[in-house]
Amino acid sequence: MADQKSNNQDAQGSQDPSFSLQRTYVKDLSLEMPNAPQIFLEQEGPTVEVSINVGGQRLAETVYEATVTATVTTRIQDKVLYLIEATQAGIFEAANIPAEQLDPLIGIVCPTMLYPYLRANVADAINRTSLPALHLAEVNFQSLYEQRVAELAQQQEGGKDDSGLILPPGATRQ
């Protein structure tokens, strides 16, 4: 009886959902200081703009790449002090995950796992400029995901007409 139970678990075990991070890597990292060294003479404090984007793609049947990109633009008045763009990527294995759960997994869980690596890489790049440290704030990727889903739904709703064309944001029909 114990052997029968073990065989049933093995047969079912291959169908159990599984998810794991296989590898993380810096996919892109650029730092520009277009107004150095003159900008170092400025006395005014900088303003900082940060944008975060998430992406993902299927690489194989159960293998996915997820990315988190941060763009940090720091200005003093109208001059750029530095501009950093960094993309942290990861390869994830996701097997036997229901289709309706796969997009949130790639859009929420994966970026949440990658973001600490991105934050460290951005902080390290800024540290190498000899400027004061900048540490990116925590991000609620679930909220970003829900916002993106709502925007896509609104675009599809607003883009419906008899032609069947969906227009990109900002485009108008003539």
Side-chain angles (χ1 to χ4, degrees):
M1 183 152 182
D3 288 336
Q4 184 180 8
K5 185 176 180 182
S6 177
N7 288 340
N8 287 342
Q9 286 176 342
D10 289 343
Q12 291 174 347
S14 64
Q15 297 300 315
D16 287 344
S18 68
F19 173 74
S20 64
L21 172 62
Q22 300 295 315
R23 171 176 294 208
T24 120
Y25 54 98
V26 175
K27 189 165 187 167
D28 181 35
L29 177 62
S30 71
L31 167 67
E32 300 174 28
M33 295 183 70
N35 294 300
Q38 295 82 4
I39 195 92
F40 296 134
L41 302 175
E42 296 288 335
Q43 298 297 314
E44 191 173 320
T47 60
V48 179
E49 297 172 27
V50 177
S51 72
I52 304 287
N53 291 311
V54 173
Q57 66 177 330
R58 175 178 258 157
L59 301 176
E61 186 177 342
T62 61
V63 180
Y64 299 84
E65 177 193 55
T67 60
V68 181
T69 302
T71 303
V72 180
T73 307
T74 304
R75 300 177 194 277
I76 295 179
Q77 296 175 0
D78 62 341
K79 295 179 186 172
V80 173
L81 176 58
Y82 60 81
L83 170 65
I84 293 179
E85 185 171 85
T87 301
Q88 185 71 41
I91 296 175
F92 296 85
E93 185 172 2
N96 302 316
I97 305 291
E100 67 275 1
Q101 293 177 5
L102 195 56
D103 193 49
L105 184 72
I106 302 298
I108 300 169
V109 176
C110 294
T112 300
M113 293 173 72
L114 294 173
Y115 191 65
Y117 296 99
L118 178 68
R119 289 179 71 196
N121 288 325
V122 168
D124 184 53
I126 294 169
N127 185 47
R128 293 174 186 275
T129 67
S130 79
L131 292 168
L134 173 79
H135 298 285
L136 296 175
E138 291 293 325
V139 173
N140 182 338
F141 286 100
Q142 181 171 349
S143 177
L144 286 178
Y145 176 82
E146 290 169 356
Q147 182 181 9
R148 184 185 63 155
V149 168
E151 287 172 359
L152 287 173
Q154 185 178 17
Q155 285 177 3
Q156 288 177 349
E157 213 173 86
K160 288 183 181 175
D161 70 355
D162 294 336
S163 70
L165 296 175
I166 298 175
L167 295 175
T172 58
R173 299 191 191 282
Q174 306 229 343

